């Protein structure tokens, strides 16, 4: 029996992983005999947050290990997999719409595989709806059993029956899965899975299970490996990175992880998301300030500026505590760029309570905001609360908030004119001959330059500040 003092073990037993390796070999050989002249093609699309994107990279890695070639051409593919998100109703509606559009594709060749996974599928009622109303979907699995994909594919190929697996409950941690990284210079590293916070509006704890942290040394080794391969930006991911290792090893918490990765030799930035203000400590902010490779960007979702709303959201901090964290962070890092998430129209939010959000936004002066209208999620506490305000009123408040943020962002970017910034050059911009780079503070600057600069750090001077995208010019090393 497990004693109270022993560390929780979320790992999947080795026999189970060995079984999956056998399924992988069997699936690969079935695929080889069905596709003697070419590789089978897999189209994978991921919705939602970076955590889901990181899952998508594992899914793609597993599919490649079975012999699939990844493709962007959905119509000519042999397998379509949607890795879904449940965070808001709108995200779910898009998935149902896209699954509906796959009917003709599936009926044109019944040996094709249509698969759905991710947060949305981890909800019982969604899986039931797929079972009943979308009979041409072959495979549905939840967030905790990605490692079983070889078995699922084998069963779809050979059993001719639909496969549903939503097991997992509180979740697990599986190491060693193959990963197909989408980027060549920016990489995601999940450091923990799940969430224990139970914010009253949020479905994540239900679909992703309890918090589980990955092993400290494993994470550092993964970062070291990526940096040695030439990655220039490492983003550490978790629903609440500040509670990293709370469940396992209190002597190696998130600040220690940042320091260990910061100590790796090389030219790279470390980013992280998301920080919950409840667990954001002065120690974390001091660590950010002291670690030169940690980007001076803090995404600290506030959700609301009103104490009653924050209480009903079960956020465990109030406006004053949030603002004192912001003040402390700015005192330690005067150039810090701060971004946030805000929900408008939480059940019962009054006009005065919403005004508190506006005044908080004015006070903090965010670089940018992710703003959402409250979406009731079945099974969460907030979905049961009375909600007297209609959609038109919520839309009006949403616009007031985004207008205010636009003014703030406009003022902030205007002040950047003539200044020089180091950017990581990311991709060609829309405008011919221009590149798009991102500053440490997560601001995009577009400037004329050659595509060979993509994936490198460059210095850029802001010439024309626009609200969201700034124009700049490349500064030569000689300048
Ligand atoms: N309705 C609207 N927005 C939500 N978010 C999470 N759940 C909901 C919901 N039910 C937002 C929060 C969170 C971000 C990822 O999504 O602002 O920080
Ligand atoms: Fe990510 Fe949450 Fe959406 Fe799942 S529900 S994909 S954890 S944002």
């Amino acid at each position: 029996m497990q004693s109270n003092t022993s560390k929780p073990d979320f790992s999947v037993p080795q026999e189970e992983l060995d079984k999956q390796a056998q399924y992988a070999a069997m699936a690969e050989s079935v695929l080889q005999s069905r596709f003697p002249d070419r590789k089978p093609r897999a189209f994978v699309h991921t919705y939602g947050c970076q955590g889901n994107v990181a899952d998508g990279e594992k899914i793609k890695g597993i599919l490649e290990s079975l012999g699939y070639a990844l493709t962007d051409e959905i119509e000519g593919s042999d397998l379509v997999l949607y890795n879904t998100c449940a965070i808001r109703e709108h995200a779910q509606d898009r998935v149902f719409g896209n699954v509906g559009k796959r009917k003709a594709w599936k009926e044109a060749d019944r040996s094709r595989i249509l698969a759905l996974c991710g947060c949305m599928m981890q909800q019982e009622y969604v899986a039931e709806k797929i079972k009943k109303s979308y009979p041409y979907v072959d495979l549905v699995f939840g967030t905790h059993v990605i490692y079983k994909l070889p078995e699922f594919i084998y069963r779809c190929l050979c059993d001719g029956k639909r496969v549903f697996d939503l097991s997992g409950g509180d979740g697990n941690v599986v190491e060693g899965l193959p990963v197909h990284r989408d980027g060549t210079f920016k990489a995601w590293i999940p450091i923990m899975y799940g969430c224990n916070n139970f914010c009253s509006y949020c479905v994540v704890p239900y679909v992703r299970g309890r918090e589980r942290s990955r092993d400290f040394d494993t994470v550092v080794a993964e970062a070291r490996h990526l940096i040695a391969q030439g990655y220039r930006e490492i983003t550490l991911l978790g629903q609440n990175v500040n509670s990293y290792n709370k469940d396992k090893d209190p002597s190696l918490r998130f600040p220690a992880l940042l320091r260990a990765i910061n100590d790796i030799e090389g030219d790279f930035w470390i980013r992280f998301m998301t920080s919950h203000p409840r667990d954001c400590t002065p120690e974390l902010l001091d660590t950010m300030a002291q670690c030169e490779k940690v980007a001076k960007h803090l995404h600290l979702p506030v959700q609301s500026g009103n104490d009653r709303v924050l209480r009903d959201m079960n956020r465990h901090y109030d406006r004053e505590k949030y603002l004192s964290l912001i003040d402390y962070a700015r005192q330690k890092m005067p150039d810090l760029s701060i971004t946030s998430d805000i929900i408008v129209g939480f059940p019962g939010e009054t006009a005065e309570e919403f005004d508190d959000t506006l005044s908080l936004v004015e006070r903090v002066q965010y670089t940018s905001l992710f703003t959402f209208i409250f979406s009731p999620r079945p099974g969460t506490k907030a979905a049961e609360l009375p909600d007297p305000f209609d959609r038109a009123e919520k839309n009006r408040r949403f616009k007031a908030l985004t207008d205010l943020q636009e003014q703030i962002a406009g003022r902030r970017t205007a002040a950047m004119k003539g200044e020089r910034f180091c950017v990581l050059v990311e991709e060609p911009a829309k405008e011919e001959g221009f590149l798009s780079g991102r500053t440490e503070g997560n601001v995009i600057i577009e400037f004329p330059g050659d595509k060979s600069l993509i994936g490198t750090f460059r210095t850029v001077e802001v010439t024309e500040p626009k609200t969201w995208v700034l124009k700049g010019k490349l500064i030569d090393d000689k300048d």
Side-chain angles (χ1 to χ4, degrees):
M1 222 176 83
Q2 210 177 345
S3 79
N4 288 338
T5 50
S6 72
K7 293 172 187 170
D9 181 8
F10 296 105
S11 47
V12 171
Q14 189 57 41
E15 311 91 81
E16 177 58 30
L17 298 178
D18 293 344
K19 192 172 108 190
Q20 291 308 318
Q22 285 167 11
Y23 273 117
M26 292 185 323
E28 190 179 4
S29 105
V30 175
L31 285 165
Q32 269 169 6
S33 61
R34 294 218 186 147
F35 296 89
D37 305 323
R38 65 166 174 91
K39 283 189 165 208
R41 302 181 193 112
F43 173 94
V44 177
H45 185 76
T46 292
Y47 299 82
C49 66
Q50 270 83 13
N52 228 29
V53 170
D55 279 354
E57 291 187 339
K58 283 186 197 139
I59 288 165
K60 290 183 201 171
I62 296 176
L63 291 173
E64 278 183 330
S65 77
L66 304 182
Y68 281 97
L70 301 173
T71 176
D72 295 331
E73 283 290 312
I74 191 166
E75 293 307 330
S77 59
D78 305 293
L79 177 147
V80 168
L81 184 146
Y82 291 122
N83 181 24
T84 64
C85 170
I87 198 96
R88 283 170 292 274
E89 198 174 356
H90 178 68
Q92 298 204 160
D93 290 346
R94 285 203 344 245
V95 172
F96 283 124
N98 282 336
V99 174
K101 284 191 211 144
R102 279 304 96 214
K103 191 166 183 229
W105 169 86
K106 172 73 194 181
E107 283 173 355
D109 179 350
R110 301 208 61 85
S111 71
R112 288 171 167 166
I113 297 175
L114 180 54
L116 304 174
C117 65
C119 295
M120 180 176 162
M121 298 306 134
Q122 196 67 48
Q123 303 167 105
E124 209 60 55
Y125 79 99
V126 172
E128 276 310 308
K129 179 166 168 178
I130 301 283
K131 224 177 225 168
K132 287 207 188 91
S133 312
Y134 298 85
Y136 53 93
V137 172
D138 304 289
L139 166 59
V140 173
F141 60 100
T143 52
H144 305 293
V145 288
I146 290 173
Y147 71 95
K148 282 192 186 172
L149 188 54
E151 174 180 348
F152 299 150
I153 297 289
Y154 178 78
R155 285 166 54 194
C156 284
L157 290 169
C158 298
D159 289 358
K161 286 197 209 118
R162 307 176 79 193
V163 179
F164 281 74
D165 189 337
L166 309 181
S167 55
D170 284 350
N172 48 36
V173 174
V174 185
E175 293 296 350
L177 295 177
V179 178
H180 169 96
R181 299 212 180 255
D182 293 333
T184 52
F185 55 90
K186 287 169 66 151
W188 316 111
I189 304 186
I191 62 164
M192 57 193 300
Y193 305 102
C195 181
N196 286 354
N197 285 313
F198 287 95
C199 300
S200 63
Y201 50 81
C202 189
V203 77
V204 171
Y206 302 92
V207 295
R208 292 255 167 201
R210 297 292 65 72
E211 273 176 9
R212 294 88 74 192
S213 299
R214 288 181 69 200
D215 176 65
F216 189 93
D217 293 336
T218 309
V219 172
V220 177
E222 186 169 335
R224 186 172 291 115
H225 176 69
L226 290 167
I227 291 155
Q229 284 183 301
Y231 280 85
R232 294 278 179 238
E233 186 177 289
I234 302 288
T235 303
L236 306 175
L237 296 175
Q239 290 300 333
N240 179 10
V241 290
N242 302 329
S243 64
Y244 174 74
N245 256 350
K246 208 179 198 170
D247 55 345
K248 259 173 56 189
D249 192 343
S251 66
L252 291 173
R253 298 290 303 274
F254 189 59
L257 184 65
L258 282 181
R259 285 188 200 281
I261 298 177
N262 190 68
D263 284 346
I264 300 173
E265 290 267 313
D267 195 12
F268 62 95
W269 278 341
I270 307 166
R271 296 187 185 276
F272 59 89
M273 67 189 310
T274 293
S275 276
H276 192 306
R278 168 191 189 171
D279 300 300
C280 179
T281 56
E283 188 198 354
L284 170 74
L285 301 169
D286 291 344
T287 307
M288 272 182 90
Q290 288 157 9
C291 291
E292 74 287 357
K293 292 170 192 162
V294 174
K296 300 299 173 273
H297 169 215
L298 181 65
H299 184 64
L300 198 64
V302 67
Q303 312 298 359
S304 163
N306 175 267
D307 285 346
R308 196 282 303 171
V309 174
L310 287 171
R311 215 169 28 249
D312 283 4
M313 286 179 163
N314 197 30
R315 292 289 287 176
H316 295 277
Y317 57 85
D318 57 15
R319 179 187 172 99
E320 198 184 316
K321 151 132 195 217
Y322 183 88
L323 289 174
S324 70
L325 278 171
I326 298 286
D327 290 345
Y328 186 84
R330 284 237 164 91
Q331 187 197 328
K332 295 283 161 170
M333 295 168 279
D335 292 332
L336 181 68
S337 164
I338 304 174
T339 56
S340 199
D341 295 345
I342 292 185
I343 297 178
V344 172
F346 184 79
E349 180 190 64
T350 64
E352 293 73 36
E353 288 170 338
F354 172 68
D355 285 345
D356 286 344
T357 295
L358 292 181
S359 71
L360 180 132
V361 168
E362 185 69 68
R363 159 87 153 72
V364 177
Q365 297 281 303
Y366 291 107
T367 302
S368 59
L369 279 181
F370 296 90
T371 45
F372 310 99
I373 291 184
F374 171 74
S375 168
R377 308 313 299 128
T380 61
K381 280 215 172 113
E384 308 300 321
L385 295 173
D387 193 6
F389 294 95
D390 64 13
R391 186 76 189 189
E393 174 59 15
K394 293 187 181 191
N395 286 342
R396 192 196 60 72
R397 290 183 195 170
F398 185 83
K399 182 158 186 326
L401 177 60
T402 50
D403 284 352
L404 171 62
Q405 180 54 35
E406 199 168 322
Q407 281 172 29
I408 293 171
R411 285 201 296 269
R412 290 181 67 87
T413 52
M416 290 166 76
K417 185 167 181 174
E419 290 209 26
R420 292 179 178 188
F421 294 89
C422 175
V423 296
L424 178 57
V425 187
E426 292 191 336
E427 56 190 2
K430 279 206 188 91
E431 195 173 338
E432 189 58 35
F434 276 67
L435 299 171
S436 174
R438 198 179 287 265
T439 67
E440 238 187 281
N442 224 20
V443 173
I444 293 172
I445 306 180
E446 291 181 353
F447 56 96
D450 188 82
K451 286 189 186 132
S452 61
L453 301 183
I454 291 173
T456 64
F457 288 113
R458 295 286 144 174
T459 304
V460 169
E461 183 175 306
V462 175
T463 50
E464 202 188 326
K466 297 203 177 138
T467 304
W468 300 122
V469 178
L470 294 85
K471 288 267 169 346
K473 65 174 184 198
L474 196 60
I475 300 297
D476 245 39
D477 295 342
K478 303 186 286 298
D479 289 331

